[in-house]
Amino acid sequence: MRSQNANQMVDSGQTKIKICGLYRDADIDAVNQYQPDYAGFVFYPPSHRYVTWEQMKDFREKLRSEIPAVGVCVNLPVEEVAAHLKEGFIQIAQLHGTEDEAYMEMLRSLVPGCEIWKACKIRSAEDLQKIENSSADRILLDNGYGTGNCFDWRLLKDWSTKHSFLLAGGLQSENIKEAINNFAPWGVDISSGVETDKKKDPDKIRKIIEQVRSK
Ligand SMILES: O=C(O)c1ccccc1N[C@@H]1O[C@H](COP(=O)(O)O)[C@@H](O)[C@H]1O
């Protein structure tokens, strides 16, 4: 499984679901049970969801083999991200900082064929325009670093893109259908919206996955 491109592993017409910010064994149990398309892990020390690479090795072993692990990386040394893609600790690199085209080119040269998602903080129409030239495999539109808040969705109203994109930031049971109906993202990415008291809540995970898949 580890040598396959993640695109080959997950390929149906349905909106993809990534549950992000898993950091406890209980979180792995929940995603193994409810089976989102992707599981996300945050390698950013200031976050309460921060996991070390040592922990990730263990989580990857416990996570169902068919669920790709997405590593959320914020301006990490490119060699560090490459090493853990090669080891198979993560299958996809989600670059969530200010990583540029040169960074992605270097990552591809170190790990040929690797899958890269580039997260973009959306504050204006210009932010959306800048995305068009990205070489990333997928674009992730977000409000920041797992803030639990939506960015201004009105900016998406007249926006069209050649990219396959994920919508993130403040998604939860109450707004997930509106997000999918209005913007038809390739995927949705949820973290804060499936937490209670900063811990993943299995019932919220189950409910939101059911909502997305019943569409
Ligand atoms: O979740 C974090 O702590 C985090 C830290 C640094 C970069 C990104 C982070 N999370 C990303 O935020 C969205 C989810 O946002 P929300 O919590 O649902 O509002 C997702 O892409 C995470 O990867």
Side-chain angles (χ1 to χ4, degrees):
M1 189 279 284
R2 302 287 153 73
S3 62
Q4 263 185 309
N5 181 301
N7 277 325
Q8 296 169 306
M9 291 188 280
V10 181
D11 193 4
S12 78
Q14 271 216 320
T15 310
K16 307 296 184 284
I17 311 164
K18 170 173 164 250
I19 299 293
C20 197
L22 311 173
Y23 66 98
R24 303 173 306 148
D25 281 346
D27 303 340
I28 307 298
D29 293 341
V31 292
N32 279 343
Q33 182 169 3
Y34 299 119
Q35 299 178 44
D37 299 292
Y38 299 93
F41 299 85
V42 174
F43 300 94
Y44 181 63
S47 172
H48 73 272
R49 305 166 180 128
Y50 172 60
V51 298
T52 64
W53 292 110
E54 195 55 36
Q55 286 174 295
M56 187 64 230
K57 183 171 189 282
D58 188 43
F59 288 147
R60 180 60 273 182
E61 280 162 14
K62 290 180 175 144
L63 183 65
R64 288 176 76 112
S65 62
E66 67 272 27
I67 302 179
V70 181
V72 178
C73 306
V74 182
N75 299 330
L76 291 179
V78 66
E79 296 79 10
E80 183 177 328
V81 179
H84 295 99
L85 280 164
K86 279 189 194 159
E87 290 278 357
F89 290 13
I90 56 171
Q91 283 60 59
I92 296 166
Q94 175 177 320
L95 306 178
H96 217 102
T98 54
E99 301 87 354
D100 57 10
E101 284 297 318
Y103 185 106
M104 291 194 269
E105 196 180 315
M106 176 62 78
L107 187 54
R108 289 196 187 96
S109 78
L110 294 169
V111 192
C114 67
E115 181 160 351
I116 302 175
W117 294 1
K118 181 72 190 89
C120 307
K121 182 171 163 177
I122 304 303
R123 285 286 175 277
S124 65
E126 289 72 47
D127 292 334
L128 288 166
Q129 262 168 24
K130 278 188 239 155
I131 290 167
E132 277 321 287
N133 294 327
S134 176
S135 69
D137 297 291
R138 303 203 192 283
I139 297 294
L140 189 144
L141 308 181
D142 195 9
N143 180 48
Y145 290 175
T147 60
N149 297 313
C150 305
F151 62 89
D152 184 353
W153 287 357
R154 287 173 301 182
L155 293 168
L156 298 180
K157 203 167 152 269
D158 297 316
W159 178 64
S160 66
T161 180
K162 65 177 188 211
H163 287 291
S164 155
F165 73 96
L166 290 102
L167 189 60
L171 294 175
Q172 52 181 296
S173 223
E174 287 68 27
N175 62 11
I176 195 85
K177 288 206 174 193
E178 179 194 346
I180 293 172
N181 289 340
N182 288 349
F183 309 118
W186 174 84
V188 287
D189 184 353
I190 308 121
S191 186
S192 306
V194 291
E195 287 180 345
T196 299
D197 297 332
K198 296 197 165 184
K199 294 189 177 71
K200 288 290 170 293
D201 181 327
D203 270 346
K204 289 186 181 175
I205 293 176
R206 176 191 52 75
K207 186 172 176 194
I208 209 155
I209 291 175
E210 278 174 11
Q211 285 178 294
V212 175
R213 294 197 173 143
S214 69
K215 292 228 28 67

